[in-house]
Amino acid sequence: MILRLLLALNFFPSIQVTENKILVKQSPMLVVYNNAVNLSCKYTYNLFSKELRASLYKGADSAVEVCVVSGNYSHQLQFHSKPGFNCDGKLDNETVTFYLWNLSVNQTDIYFCKIEVMYPPPYIDNEKSNGTIIHVKENQICQIQGIPTSCKMFWALVVVGGVLALYSFLVTVALCNHWMNKKKNRILQSDYLNMTPRRLGPTRKHYHPYAPARDFAAYRS
């Protein structure tokens, strides 16, 4: 799709500055990663005292109007979004900027700015510009509303993995605590056995050496 849009750009000739035309310049391509983008359209015409209308169109044939602002600089200009789009913007004497948000992938297309002087006469507008391809990338982060099934599965796996990791941690802590208590009891028991009094060995009995009894009667005779 992007290739076809790029080929379409070759069929729009460069804009020539004429007396009754407004020159508009746009960026060739904008890549959107967060569903929001600022599209700036620079023009070479003094619109300060004019009743103007600035609008943004989608598609190679500019069939879909996306956003529009009209009025003059005597009061604050209000941007209006068309169905299916969210738009705001800012306009000064050289640039009109369209701010689009909540873009979806299927809104990838080529967008054209159009500047018109409604009053005073004569009516003046710009030649069709070269346009800007807005390429909306798919958002990898699940949105709160309308969560895809793949994202639901992903978060379910994350929750299950977190529970299993917590369970493994608690079991490891319990086993370590049990092992430490067992080791502590073993050390205390060993210290108790070491403090018990022990006999150094069998008690030796002291025997007096044998001496034969003397016969004192023999000495008398």
Side-chain angles (χ1 to χ4, degrees), residues 51 68 126 213:
E51 188 80 17
V68 62
N126 63 285

Side-chain angles (χ1 to χ4, degrees), residues 32-37 99-105 136-139 141 143:
V32 181
Y33 293 98
N34 57 354
N35 304 106
V37 67
Y99 173 60
L100 306 174
W101 70 91
N102 285 343
L103 291 171
S104 59
V105 176
V136 183
K137 293 283 189 178
E138 184 175 1
N139 197 350
I141 302 176
Q143 299 179 355

Side-chain angles (χ1 to χ4, degrees), residues 28-42:
M29 186 173 183
L30 296 173
V31 180
V32 181
Y33 293 98
N34 57 354
N35 304 106
V37 67
N38 285 324
L39 174 57
S40 296
C41 307
K42 297 181 179 181

